[in-house]
């Protein structure tokens, strides 16, 4: 089965390959495409044509999922740029130290059963992530600096981990 | 995930957890992280004037294998020279702990942490020499 390349993920929905995309038009194109590819519309066609429509529908789902999520969208753009030799060695000691402090704060709050503290951390994290995504957008869309984008993306992974740690702690205290 | 007995032992009774003074000229601090799993690891070594590692401490936020890898490493590096600990390979750690292939990256992280701690200490020592 031939799969769509990353470029076509954007082309598929009529979008320019950029980090900053219009979520509303992504959503609309997605619905439009899926309704065109719906099996009911191809019921009268040959078996081969029906199979192609089904394959395409799967690809549209993959593409939509990839572009909707900022992390996989950024990954897709960096891969598209085809810059090799980008490795995760770019994390700075300062960033890692801050991660250590985040994890300590989350752990302390979890042990203390301090929901208020966890909510405050959650808020702070939300703010951090939004700044991080803006930085990632400017590295990709404005500067086309893929080395920097890779670093920002790697950092974003750590923030995702913090998000799940905070959510787990809150879930645990909820019970 | 079925952990080996050695991993469980280090996970349940981690050795040398803690922190040392980062600004101490005899202390080297290595900070490493793995974006794929969000694990962070801090390894600190304290080296005497004879160049032997007297003490080691770690703090790891991660899975059982990451904790076990760093705990094991603190035991291994005590009493060794900087050159000797630079020879420790992630495969040694993985073998000792019987890590499955999906957890090899935890042992890589521990090896990276040793290198980072040694590099930090050497950088401190050479800048101290310049100052003197």
């Amino acid at each position: 089965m031939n799969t769509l390349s990353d470029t076509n993920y954007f082309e598929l929905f009529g979008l320019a390959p950029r980090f900053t995309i219009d979520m509303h038009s992504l959503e609309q194109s997605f619905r439009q495409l899926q309704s065109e590819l719906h099996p009911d519309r191809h019921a009268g066609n040959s078996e081969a044509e029906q199979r192609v429509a089904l394959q395409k529908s799967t690809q549209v789902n993959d593409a939509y999922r990839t572009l909707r999520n900022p992390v996989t969208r950024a990954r897709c753009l960096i891969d598209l740029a085809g810059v090799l030799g980008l490795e995760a060695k770019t994390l700075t000691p300062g960033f890692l130290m801050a991660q250590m402090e985040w994890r300590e704060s989350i752990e302390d709050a979890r042990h203390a059963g301090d929901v208020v503290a966890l909510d405050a951390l959650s808020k702070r994290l939300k703010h951090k992530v939004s700044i991080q995504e803006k930085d990632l957008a400017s590295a990709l869309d404005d500067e086309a600096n893929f080395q920097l984008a890779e670093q920002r993306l790697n950092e974003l992974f750590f923030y995702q981990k913090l998000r799940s740690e905070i959510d787990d702690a809150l879930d645990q205290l909820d019970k | 995930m079925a952990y080996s007995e050695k991993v469980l032992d280090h996970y349940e009774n981690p050795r040398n957890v803690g922190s040392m003074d980062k600004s101490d000229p005899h202390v080297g601090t290595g900070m490493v992280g793995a974006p794929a799993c969000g694990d962070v690891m801090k390894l600190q070594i304290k080296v005497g004037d004879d160049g032997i590692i007297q003490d080691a401490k770690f703090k790891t936020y991660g899975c059982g294998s990451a904790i076990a890898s760093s705990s094991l490493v603190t035991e291994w590096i005590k009493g060794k020279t900087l050159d000797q600990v630079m020879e420790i390979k992630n495969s040694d750690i993985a073998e000792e702990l019987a890590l499955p292939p999906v957890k090899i990256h935890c042992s890589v992280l521990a090896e990276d942490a040793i290198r980072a701690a040694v590099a930090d200490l050497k950088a401190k020592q050479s800048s101290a020499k310049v100052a003197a």
Side-chain angles (χ1 to χ4, degrees), chain A residues 89 96 100 103-104 157 161, chain B residues 31 35 37-38 59 61 112:
Chain A
K89 301 278 177 192
L96 290 165
M100 214 66 176
R103 299 291 285 266
E104 277 165 13
F157 282 124
K161 178 70 182 180
Chain B
M31 297 278 315
C37 50
K59 193 148 197 190
Y61 288 97
D112 287 347

Side-chain angles (χ1 to χ4, degrees), chain A residues 95-106:
Chain A
F95 174 81
L96 290 165
M97 200 58 85
Q99 282 300 307
M100 214 66 176
E101 281 160 14
W102 272 99
R103 299 291 285 266
E104 277 165 13
S105 308
I106 296 167

Side-chain angles (χ1 to χ4, degrees), chain B residues 13-46:
Chain B
N13 313 292
R15 334 292 201 254
N16 308 306
V17 174
S19 283
M20 290 188 266
D21 180 8
K22 253 181 20 160
S23 56
D24 183 334
H26 289 95
V27 171
T29 302
M31 297 278 315
V32 291
C37 50
D39 287 359
V40 274
M41 190 180 282
K42 180 173 79 175
L43 178 71
Q44 293 185 298
I45 51 174
K46 186 169 195 161

